[in-house]
Structure formats: C-alpha cells, structure tokens
Amino acid sequence: MKSGLEDVIAAETVLSDVDGQAGRLIVRGISLDELAGRRFEDVAGLLFDGFFAELPDAAGMAAALGAARVRVFPHVGALDGGLLALTPTEAVRALLARLPDGNDLEAALALLAAPGVFTPAVVRRQRGEAAVPPDPRLPHAADMLRMLRGVPAPASAVAALDTYLV
C-alpha cells in the first residue's frame, strides 16, 4: 500500500532532474553541489539557454542583468505608506506585479533582477532610509548587498549570497 505522492509526476522539465532517494538535484546536467560555487549570473544563463535565441554569453549575461536592475529600479518609487506597511515579501510581490508581462529575454531579465532590487529597497525604506540605486557594473549578489547596506559588501558575504541565490 502506498501513501503520499510516490510515482506521481507533478511536472516535466528540461531544466532539472530530482533524485530524492539519492538526495541529488541535477540542473542542466550539473549537480547542485557543483553549481553552488558559481555566480548567480552564470547559472541564470544556464537556465535561460535554449529559451531565448538572443541569449548573451556569460559576460553579456552579467551586463544584461545589471541593465535590467537599472530598468526596474524606477518602480521603487511606488513604495508608499500602504506598501511599506506590508511585510517585505508582500511589498516585493506588489512591486513585481507592476512589471510588464512578456515572454522575451528583456521581460525574463526584469523578473530575475527585480527581487534583487526591490527587496533591499523595501527593507531600507521600512527602516526610514533611502533606496540605493543599482550599479549595473557589479555582479548581481554584490549589487544586492550594496543596495541593502549602502556600502560594498565583503567578498565572503557576496560569495555566500551567490551560493544562496544559486
């Protein structure tokens, strides 16, 4: 007799394979353990590969994600008293809802970049501090931490956030 969801396929994907019994997650043929040491931008490029014809190389992906952070930052201006009274998660969701829909690379990059811009902005504004605009030249994790703290973060903190985001 079976209980639970053994042998039930909830979804199929070309992106990953989960081997729950062995405790392994494989993303695009690479184990999560191997991916954990990579930058967020590199893994995002790996995930986007095959979905967008105009996908840039690794350096181009970092630049495109940086530009996307800059494009979504103006939406932070919508943070009013009502949104700031929400939990950070709810406020970020409300800001995400402002982004235009689309299934092109620009829309995907905006959705990928937005939580990294909106979360620091919400946290800072809830503390009574001004939101810090993104720096498109920085890696995503480094820029998130800089926007949150107002100053550059140590390399160890950037590496830790990269691992968490991956």
Side-chain angles (χ1 to χ4, degrees):
M1 181 173 221
K2 289 186 177 183
S3 63
L5 297 174
E6 292 90 0
D7 300 323
V8 173
I9 297 173
E12 292 186 26
T13 179
V14 298
L15 296 176
S16 64
D17 180 44
V18 177
D19 183 349
Q21 290 185 334
R24 294 180 357 165
L25 172 60
I26 308 297
V27 178
R28 292 286 183 155
I30 304 169
S31 76
L32 185 59
D33 292 340
E34 292 177 53
L35 291 175
R38 297 189 185 183
R39 287 186 337 162
F40 177 73
E41 296 89 328
D42 299 334
V43 176
L46 183 69
L47 293 174
F48 282 4
D49 188 28
F51 291 98
F52 303 103
E54 70 279 10
L55 191 66
D57 63 11
M61 183 61 144
L65 190 56
R69 288 193 305 272
V70 171
R71 278 196 316 276
V72 301
F73 183 73
H75 291 282
V76 168
L79 283 171
D80 60 11
L83 289 180
L84 292 172
L86 300 172
T87 67
T89 301
E90 292 168 330
V92 169
R93 272 193 219 147
L95 290 174
L96 283 168
R98 297 175 51 84
L99 297 178
D101 286 335
N103 47 2
D104 59 348
L105 181 59
E106 186 172 320
L109 286 167
L111 287 171
L112 190 63
V117 173
F118 296 162
T119 302
V122 168
V123 170
R124 286 183 64 85
R125 291 286 312 278
Q126 286 180 335
R127 292 191 308 216
E129 300 169 346
V132 175
D135 181 344
R137 299 166 298 172
L138 292 176
H140 191 71
D143 203 22
M144 275 185 71
L145 290 172
R146 185 193 62 80
M147 287 186 283
L148 179 64
R149 297 172 175 210
V151 296
S156 60
V158 172
L161 182 57
D162 254 330
T163 299
Y164 178 79
L165 292 173
V166 167

